[in-house]
Amino acid sequence: MGDNLISWTFKKQTTVSRSSTESEYRALALIAAEVKWLLNILHDLRIQLLAQPTLLCDNTNAIFMTRNPVAQRRSRHIDIDVHFVRELVCNGILTVKHVPSTL
């Protein structure tokens, strides 16, 4: 909230991903669902945010997929329900920015 981190997770994947982009995108989808849930709670409490929530990701391909619908051809193996991140970004509900892996 504000300048504070509200969620951070590190979790061993239970399934094998075909690529690092897939696992990063799945992680984005999980946190996007959590952020959407928090936004709904804040809305119910009549608390307005001054800025969009920002998700940080170190995989540039996953970030590209959140903004570009053409990337779907290259990601057919990712479940369709994971692509709601792109919808949230396109609707201006949240933003996704790159952060170097070293940080």
Side-chain angles (χ1 to χ4, degrees), residues 42-90:
L42 292 173
H43 178 39
D44 290 345
L45 296 172
R46 301 188 197 298
I47 298 173
Q48 292 184 346
L49 297 179
L50 300 176
Q52 295 174 332
T54 302
L55 305 182
L56 301 176
C57 181
D58 65 346
N59 188 299
T60 55
N61 288 330
I63 295 169
F64 177 76
M65 286 172 53
T66 65
R67 297 182 183 138
N68 191 349
V70 177
Q72 187 175 8
R73 283 189 221 122
R74 289 185 261 159
S75 59
R76 291 183 191 164
H77 57 279
I78 298 176
D79 295 332
I80 194 72
D81 60 340
V82 177
H83 288 285
F84 83 99
V85 176
R86 183 181 305 139
E87 182 180 328
L88 294 175
V89 171
C90 290

